[in-house]
Amino acid sequence: MILIDGKKVAAEIREELKKEVSDLKSKTNKVPGLTVVLIGDMAPSQIYVRMKEKAANEVGLKSEVIRYPDSAEEKTVLEKIDELNKDKSVSGILVQLPLPKHIDKQKVIEAISPTKDVDGFHPANVGNLSSGYESIVPCTPLGCYLLIKKLEKNLSGKKAVIVGRSNLNGKPMAQLLLKENCTVTITHSKTKDLKDECLEADIIVAAVGIPELVKGDWVKKDAIVIDVGINKTDKGIVGDVAFDEVSKVAKALTPVPGGVGPMTIACLLKNTIECFKKAH
Ligand code: NAD
C-alpha cells in the first residue's frame, strides 16, 4: 500500500512557490498579498488562520489578518471586502468560515472579487469550474486532485466515487475528476447502498465528517482512497476512512493527519500566487 504523504508533497509545492515568489519579486518589485478576514474567536478558525498566515509568510507572501469580534456587523465586513477588492497590494482575499449567524455567508462570498477569491467559492468561479473553463479551484479538492494526479497521470475512464456533496469539497472534487474524464458518482446522506457504490470505485474521495465511515470491505482492491475528513474523537483526530482496515486493501491511501490537510494550505498559497500573476 502506498501511504500518500501529503505533508511531503505540500512541502515540495511550498518550496517551488517560494522560488516563484522570489522570481516574481525580482521581476515586478512586488510580492503577492493574502488577506484573511477572521470574524469571532472560534478556536478552530483561530488555529486555521494562524497556520495560513505562517505558511504565507514562509513562502514570502505579504500576509495580513483582519480580525473582527463576533458582534461585527455584516455591513462592516462587506465594506472591508470592498476596500480589499480595490487594494492593488491584495492579491487574494479569504474570509474564514464559519461566520457568525447574523452574517449572510453567501453575501460575503459574492462580495469578494472573483479575481481575488482564493477559496474559489464565488459563483463565477464555481460556474467556470463546472463549465470546464479556467477558474480558481477550492483549495481542499485542488489538493486532493494534485495528490491523485501525482499517483496516476491518466485518469480517463476511471470510476470515481465522491462521498459527500458539499460546495466546499464534494462538488468541486467531482468537477475536477470529470474534467479528467473519470466517470463520477457523487454520493450523500440520502444515497442508498453507499457501500455498493464505493465498491465500484477506482478512486474514492471521502469528505463527510463522519469518523471512519468508509470501511475496509467497502473498498475495491487497488483503489486510490483520499480521506478529507478531520474528526475529533476520544482516540484523537481521525478521518472519514477506517485507516487500519482500508490500508489492507487499497492501492494508496492518505493518512489523517498528514494527508489532505497540508495540501489545502499549499493550494491556498498557490491560488494567491495565480491571482497575483493574472493581475500583473
Ligand atoms: P459538510 O458537512 O459540508 O458536508 C458533508 C457531506 O457529507 C454532505 O454533503 C452530506 O450529504 C454528506 N453525508 C453526510 N452523512 C453521510 C452519509 N452517512 N453517507 C454519505 N454522505 C453523507 O462537510 P465538509 O465541509 O465537506 O467537510 C467534510 C469533512 O472534511 C469534515 O470532517 C471536515 O472537517 C473535513 N475538511 C477537511 C479539510 C482539509 O483540509 N483536510 C478541509 C475542509 C473540510
Side-chain angles (χ1 to χ4, degrees):
M1 208 268 308
I2 301 167
L3 185 67
I4 306 171
D5 191 345
K7 206 171 166 186
K8 182 163 166 246
V9 179
E12 288 163 7
I13 293 174
R14 289 211 307 264
E15 210 42 55
E16 282 164 23
L17 295 177
K18 198 172 173 177
K19 280 197 204 98
E20 197 172 356
V21 171
S22 148
D23 287 350
L24 288 169
K25 191 177 176 183
S26 45
K27 272 188 207 141
T28 64
N29 220 6
K30 294 187 180 84
V31 289
L34 172 65
T35 298
V36 177
V37 178
L38 174 61
I39 306 156
D41 52 8
M42 274 179 57
S45 294
Q46 300 273 357
I47 296 170
Y48 290 141
V49 167
R50 224 174 297 133
M51 284 161 72
K52 288 167 184 174
E53 191 182 17
K54 183 168 173 271
N57 286 329
E58 276 169 13
V59 299
L61 300 185
K62 179 169 121 9
S63 93
E64 181 192 18
V65 179
I66 297 171
R67 290 183 165 79
Y68 288 109
D70 221 22
S71 57
E73 279 184 42
E74 183 182 276
K75 186 170 162 276
T76 312
V77 177
L78 294 174
E79 279 170 4
K80 177 50 85 178
I81 293 173
D82 189 43
E83 193 187 300
L84 296 170
N85 283 339
K86 291 176 185 143
D87 185 339
K88 287 201 167 65
S89 73
V90 175
S91 322
I93 304 166
L94 181 157
V95 179
Q96 183 66 40
L97 302 178
L99 298 175
K101 284 208 173 60
H102 65 279
I103 298 182
D104 183 336
K105 180 174 90 173
Q106 198 56 23
K107 245 192 206 171
V108 167
I109 288 174
E110 289 183 23
I112 299 172
S113 161
T115 59
K116 296 190 177 190
D117 167 37
V118 280
D119 258 339
F121 296 160
H122 191 286
N125 283 313
V126 176
N128 281 336
L129 178 64
S130 65
S131 303
Y133 301 141
E134 203 184 310
S135 69
I136 304 173
V137 179
C139 307
T140 304
L142 178 59
C144 296
Y145 168 80
L146 294 175
L147 290 177
I148 297 168
K149 282 291 276 185
K150 211 171 159 68
L151 279 170
E152 215 134 326
K153 284 227 153 48
N154 183 8
L155 301 176
S156 184
K158 301 247 179 245
K159 177 134 176 59
V161 172
I162 317 294
V163 190
R165 59 172 160 186
S166 69
N167 291 338
L168 179 71
N169 290 307
K171 285 184 200 157
M173 189 70 238
Q175 296 297 349
L176 288 170
L177 293 176
L178 206 52
K179 231 173 157 179
E180 289 289 322
N181 298 319
C182 289
T183 303
V184 181
T185 302
I186 306 177
T187 65
H188 47 78
S189 56
K190 303 288 184 291
T191 297
K192 290 180 183 151
D193 305 322
L194 183 59
K195 174 181 173 181
D196 290 345
E197 296 291 348
C198 289
L199 272 169
E200 296 282 314
D202 302 306
I203 299 166
I204 297 175
V205 180
V208 196
I210 300 180
E212 303 181 325
L213 174 74
V214 177
K215 306 284 186 284
D217 62 354
W218 293 25
V219 175
K220 194 164 83 172
K221 193 172 164 290
D222 285 344
I224 295 173
V225 183
I226 306 293
D227 189 352
V228 179
I230 303 176
N231 307 295
K232 249 191 185 165
T233 68
D234 294 344
K235 58 175 184 179
I237 302 280
V238 301
D240 292 341
V241 174
F243 185 88
D244 291 345
E245 293 177 19
V246 173
S247 60
K248 294 195 178 90
V249 253
K251 175 163 84 180
L253 172 63
T254 56
V256 176
V260 173
M263 291 298 287
T264 298
I265 294 192
C267 288
L268 170 67
L269 308 176
K270 197 174 165 60
N271 281 350
T272 306
I273 295 166
E274 286 307 313
C275 289
F276 174 89
K277 289 198 296 196
K278 282 203 191 98
H280 292 79

